[in-house]
Amino acid sequence: MRDYLLTLCVTAAVTYLLTGPVRKFAIATGAMPEIRARDVHREPTPRLGGIAMFFGLCAGLLVADHLQNLNSVFELSNEPRALLSGAALIWIIGVLDDKFELDALIKLGGQMIAAGVMVMQGLTILWIPVPGIGTVSLTQWQGTLLTVALVVITINAVNFVDGLDGLAAGMVCIAAAAFFLYSYRIWYGYTIEAAAPATLFTAILMGMCVGFLPHNMHPARIFMGDSGSMLIGLVLAAAAISVTGQVDPDALKIFEGGTREATHAALPVFIPLMLPLTIIAIPVADLVLAIVRRTWNGQSPFAADRGHLHHRLLEIGHSHSRAVLIMYFWSALFAFGVVAYSVHSASMWSVFLIMLLSAVGLVLLLLPRFTPRAPRWAQSFVPPRYRRRVTPPETQPEWETAPSGTYGTHAAHGAHGAPEEQETAEERIPVPAGVNGATAIGARSRFPDRRKASTRG
């Protein structure tokens, strides 16, 4: 576990330290597209954050190759090299798209080629366990088609959900954490060496997301762009392919004993067959709904719009941060709930806990305008928006309560604090700070101008 933590920390540190220079590079090269109608942010923000994430991936693999306990992954398997090859290809396509806006079909073809490169180097699905039948070996073409389909679906699902600050990186980090727990248990609990690559991939993926999130949380200073979203989607898909398609279920000795015992023992293998889809259940649901919605309206399935799930959360009244946290909650509920049930399938406590957390999630969705307030003793430890506001007592000016005969005396004080200077805060009309709500010398205005930002010609 220490080697995994070291790999994770090195990956996170490299990603975090490189994101700042990458941001300056993106600004210098003009990788700051104008704000589109479907965008949520109001200021042009640089992209190309995937450059830092890719170098974090390379650093994590390099460190793991020099660690004694993880070096065997590179000696006994070609999967790390396959991952690096596919990641480099998809990263180059993403960088070009962030700069030049490639066509959707070109990106789709690049995703399929990247998946094919990984298949050629051994990262493919070899067999799948089927309930009631056992292990079913796949032919080369079947394994290739299933692998390419899983890679393309995962990449596009992550790319579709990348619409709010910190949303895609956080959801993929949660998915990687759940995957790490499952694959680590398969490796050390059952001593199956084939689960080691997936454990390493998920640890590195968590480091990439953790290192990038401080720069990407709301308000984001840089976006990962397609170079980052497609990259982390491919790494997540590679981990799923490795742990579900190359770990032989017969090695777990689950098809022994009676039928009932074998069924309960097989759940840790049967359920994680759907683990990749349940972990990205929300992105996949968003992807399917987007395709159906656009096709129904006579548009291209690749046409961009503002109908995604995170857009709808904003429309019903949730703030930007709260919408992201709600998506985090549901992702964690799906991912860790499936992992927990696969481990303790004979116990019902996990089912009741999942149902209870689902009810909590529904309550959060139904209270979009509720803002929790911290107790008085914790006022200095929470952000200002969660502090209790102290309303001063309403007092009337002396000139309003004075007798009519003395009004002239108080009116003579007009230059020393008469009604002209008793103007309330509600009567003051704030001046917008600018097109994007900020000035060069002051803080952002609390009343931003909603005009669309544009560049000067």
Side-chain angles (χ1 to χ4, degrees):
M1 181 63 73
R2 291 183 303 174
D3 294 334
Y4 288 117
L5 291 178
L6 177 60
T7 304
L8 188 153
C9 292
V10 170
T11 305
V14 172
T15 304
Y16 176 80
L17 294 176
L18 288 180
T19 303
V22 167
R23 179 178 181 273
K24 297 180 180 179
F25 172 77
I27 296 175
T29 57
M32 295 179 60
E34 296 184 2
I35 299 178
R36 299 161 295 187
R38 63 186 177 94
D39 290 334
V40 178
H41 60 282
R42 297 171 180 169
E43 298 182 5
T45 306
R47 295 193 288 187
L48 294 178
I51 296 179
M53 304 179 79
F54 177 75
F55 282 104
L57 169 66
C58 297
L61 292 175
L62 182 62
V63 169
D65 190 20
H66 289 79
L67 294 178
Q68 183 177 1
N69 294 330
L70 299 181
N71 188 29
S72 59
V73 177
F74 297 84
E75 294 179 352
L76 302 178
S77 174
N78 198 41
E79 294 183 16
R81 301 176 187 86
L83 171 65
L84 185 59
S85 301
L89 181 58
I90 203 69
W91 172 70
I92 292 174
I93 296 174
V95 170
L96 294 177
D97 180 67
D98 290 340
K99 175 60 180 175
F100 302 106
E101 294 286 345
L102 300 179
D103 186 72
L105 294 179
I106 296 178
K107 291 192 294 183
L108 180 62
Q111 296 167 8
M112 298 177 66
I113 294 175
V117 169
M118 293 194 301
V119 170
M120 292 176 59
Q121 300 190 44
L123 186 56
T124 182
I125 298 177
L126 301 178
W127 46 64
I128 56 174
V130 178
I133 298 178
T135 304
V136 176
S137 298
L138 300 178
T139 64
Q140 182 178 0
W141 282 106
Q142 291 174 342
T144 300
L145 292 177
L146 188 58
T147 302
V148 172
L150 182 59
V151 170
V152 172
I153 291 175
T154 307
I155 289 177
N156 286 280
V158 175
N159 193 19
F160 268 57
V161 82
D162 185 23
L164 297 179
D165 297 347
L167 181 58
M171 292 182 65
V172 173
C173 186
I174 293 172
F179 244 125
F180 177 82
L181 294 177
Y182 174 73
S183 57
Y184 186 83
R185 175 175 176 266
I186 293 295
W187 186 10
Y188 283 94
Y190 293 93
T191 64
I192 297 177
E193 195 72 21
T199 311
L200 176 62
F201 296 165
T202 51
I204 293 176
L205 182 57
M206 281 191 290
M208 295 166 59
C209 297
V210 169
F212 185 73
L213 271 175
H215 300 272
N216 191 234
M217 294 301 293
H218 183 71
R221 301 180 69 247
I222 185 174
F223 294 151
M224 68 173 65
D226 283 358
S227 59
S229 61
M230 293 197 300
L231 176 63
I232 60 178
L234 182 134
V235 178
L236 180 62
I241 292 168
S242 179
V243 76
T244 59
Q246 297 209 351
V247 175
D248 189 359
D250 293 336
L252 300 177
K253 300 179 181 180
I254 61 175
F255 300 110
E256 297 180 358
T259 304
R260 184 175 181 180
E261 291 78 6
T263 302
H264 284 290
L267 282 175
V269 175
F270 292 150
I271 291 180
L273 281 176
M274 302 301 295
L275 190 60
L277 296 180
T278 55
I279 283 179
I280 58 173
I282 294 179
V284 169
D286 194 10
L287 173 64
V288 173
L289 291 176
I291 293 176
V292 172
R293 178 179 64 253
R294 295 165 185 174
T295 306
W296 183 268
N297 294 331
Q299 300 175 350
S300 170
F302 303 101
D305 57 12
R306 289 180 59 90
H308 294 289
L309 296 178
H310 49 269
H311 290 141
R312 297 185 182 275
L313 288 176
L314 296 177
E315 290 176 358
I316 65 177
H318 290 288
S319 65
H320 191 293
S321 301
R322 188 178 301 162
V324 172
L325 292 177
I326 289 175
M327 298 287 280
Y328 285 176
F329 174 83
W330 284 107
S331 298
L333 181 62
F334 276 106
F336 289 100
V338 172
V339 173
Y341 187 71
S342 66
V343 175
H344 300 284
S345 57
S347 177
M348 294 299 296
W349 68 266
S350 58
V351 178
F352 291 125
L353 180 60
I354 293 173
M355 294 176 60
L356 177 61
L357 293 177
S358 300
V360 172
L362 292 176
V363 172
L364 293 176
L365 288 175
L366 296 176
L367 295 176
R369 301 187 183 277
F370 171 72
T371 303
R373 299 298 180 188
R376 297 185 182 278
W377 58 268
Q379 294 293 307
S380 58
F381 302 101
V382 296
R385 62 179 177 272
Y386 297 122
R387 299 174 185 172
R388 297 181 181 275
R389 300 175 181 174
V390 179
T391 305
E394 296 182 359
T395 57
Q396 293 182 341
E398 184 180 358
W399 64 274
E400 289 187 359
T401 58
S404 58
T406 61
Y407 174 73
T409 304
H410 294 285
H413 300 161
H416 301 85
E420 289 84 357
E421 295 188 8
Q422 299 295 332
E423 184 182 11
T424 60
E426 289 77 11
E427 295 175 352
R428 299 190 183 98
I429 301 176
V431 179
V435 174
N436 295 315
T439 61
I441 59 176
R444 294 172 180 248
S445 171
R446 297 184 60 185
F447 301 85
D449 192 352
R450 296 185 179 272
R451 291 176 296 168
K452 183 177 179 181
S454 60
T455 58
R456 296 181 179 178

